Each structure stands twice: as structure tokens, then as C-alpha cells.
Amino acid sequence: MKILTSFLSLFFFAFIASAQIELAFFELDNSVDIDVIAKSNGTFKSINITVSNSSNQESIIHFPLGGVFINSEESEQSLVVVSYDKITVPANIVKTIEIEVACADADKKAPRKNRTTWDYGYDPKLEELLLFYYDNTTLIEYMTGVNNHDTKIKRHNFLQMCVWVYYGDDKQHITSFATTYIFDGDKDAAEAFVDVFYPMVSIFLELYKNID
């Protein structure tokens, strides 16, 4: 019996040691010893994340599509995750990761560099829309032109436009934002960008609405 008890004790502690904490970044609260700090790099396309794991367990933090970084500064944009990612952090270790995002507010300015004052949230309907894009890439490329998706920059531009249209931003705000933050003040280039991508995204959203 003593041998069995010792074996069970070892098994129990081995199980505890091997257990993982696995959560989405917006699910973390004071009940776990994990901190997620988002730090703006001054753009609307990505954000730097630092995860500090002070627990005695390995942690896996997910950044799902539709995750939202809510900016505490009302004049600046909030950001949404447009490319799923995750980070695995061993016990008592700090790691960093850069997450691909898009801006949710075309009528606001880009987040100030080094801003760390964010709340975290999640938009399940936006996640569904973005999942539809990734699950039907071939069809969407056929409907909107393969050449509009054949580089990382073009794919991000398309997804950025999807987010803007999803949140109801008008073309004037989108053009103004694109002029300032995408095309370095070149309004003609911004207008050309909107003229190409806005109708494509409208086709994509109509396709999304009509396919179960």
C-alpha cells in the first residue's frame, strides 16, 4: 500500500507539473499568474505583445481572429487581430510576439508609439467573417482577382478594408486614413486604393452573406 501511495503521489505531482494554462488573451484575469502587455509600435498593422508567466505551469496564449485591443485614448484607433497566432511561455519566463492587426476606426489616428493602455475584447462576428476569408481563399481570389491577394501587403490591405466596411466606416474616412497612413500623403494613390479594394470587399461581404 505504501508503494502504491508513493506512486500515486508521484503521478499526481507529475500531472500538475505537466499541466498547461491555455487561454485566449482576452480571457485572462487575476485568477492566473500571467500578464499580457500590448505595446503599440506606432502602426495599425501590428502590435507587440509581452507575456509574463509567473505561474509554475507552461502557458499557451491564443490571439484568435476577431480579438480586439481597445484603445483607452478615444482619439486613437482600436486594433483587431486579422491573422491568428499563439505564444507558448514556459513557467517563470517572459516572451514577446508581434501580432498582425488592422485598425477598427478609419476616422481616428494611428495609435501612439509605445502606448500600453489597452483593454482586451473579442468580436465573434468579425471572427466568423475572417474565418470565411481564410477557409475560402481560392474562391475569394477568383471572385476579386488573384493579383489582389498575391503578396502579404495586398492580403493585409484587403483584410483591412474588410474590417473598415464591417464596422461601417465610410469611403471618405477610409480615403483620408489611407492618404495619411498608407500612402504618405498621396491622395491620388489612396483614392485608387479605395476604388479598387472597396468594391472587391463589397463582393466578398455579399458572398459571405449568401453562403451558409
Side-chain angles (χ1 to χ4, degrees), residues 83-103:
S83 181
Y84 166 79
D85 217 326
K86 69 177 181 179
I87 185 170
T88 300
V89 186
N92 299 303
I93 293 295
V94 178
K95 293 183 72 173
T96 61
I97 188 173
E98 186 177 68
I99 302 296
E100 184 178 352
V101 295
C103 91

Side-chain angles (χ1 to χ4, degrees), residues 16-207:
I16 293 297
S18 64
Q20 291 178 328
I21 300 170
E22 187 163 0
L23 293 167
F25 74 100
F26 51 80
E27 295 176 321
L28 294 169
D29 55 32
N30 294 330
S31 65
V32 292
D33 294 323
I34 301 171
D35 289 323
V36 173
I37 298 175
K39 186 175 183 179
S40 170
N41 55 23
T43 78
F44 64 95
K45 294 185 177 182
S46 63
I47 190 167
N48 299 320
I49 306 295
T50 299
V51 180
S52 303
N53 183 7
S54 301
S55 74
N56 60 359
Q57 299 170 298
E58 180 180 77
S59 68
I60 300 175
I61 307 302
H62 296 270
F63 298 87
L65 300 171
V68 185
F69 297 93
I70 305 166
N71 200 327
S72 64
E73 173 52 57
E74 292 187 0
S75 66
E76 296 178 1
Q77 305 152 348
S78 293
L79 303 172
V80 297
V81 179
V82 293
S83 181
Y84 166 79
D85 217 326
K86 69 177 181 179
I87 185 170
T88 300
V89 186
N92 299 303
I93 293 295
V94 178
K95 293 183 72 173
T96 61
I97 188 173
E98 186 177 68
I99 302 296
E100 184 178 352
V101 295
C103 91
D105 315 283
D107 59 336
K108 297 182 180 181
K109 61 185 179 182
R112 175 178 56 81
K113 188 173 183 179
N114 296 324
R115 176 171 296 287
T116 58
T117 50
W118 306 87
D119 291 321
Y120 306 139
Y122 168 61
D123 186 335
K125 291 295 184 182
L126 179 59
E127 181 187 38
E128 289 180 9
L129 177 66
L130 295 171
L131 281 173
F132 180 80
Y133 173 83
Y134 286 109
D135 290 343
N136 298 276
T137 303
T138 301
L139 175 61
I140 292 162
E141 287 179 351
Y142 173 77
M143 296 289 293
T144 60
V146 175
N147 61 313
N148 293 306
H149 304 264
D150 58 5
T151 68
K152 184 176 181 179
I153 291 175
K154 290 180 181 179
R155 285 194 298 274
H156 186 275
N157 285 343
F158 185 88
L159 292 173
Q160 175 61 84
M161 187 67 75
C162 287
V163 172
W164 281 330
V165 175
Y166 169 82
Y167 281 119
D169 286 320
D170 64 36
K171 291 177 72 173
Q172 182 178 350
H173 285 149
I174 294 171
T175 302
S176 177
F177 178 88
T179 300
T180 302
Y181 294 104
I182 300 179
F183 296 102
D184 297 322
D186 188 339
K187 186 176 180 180
D188 290 339
E191 289 176 344
F193 162 74
V194 174
D195 287 344
V196 170
F197 280 89
Y198 194 94
M200 284 195 304
V201 168
S202 298
I203 293 171
F204 164 62
L205 291 178
E206 197 61 34
L207 186 66

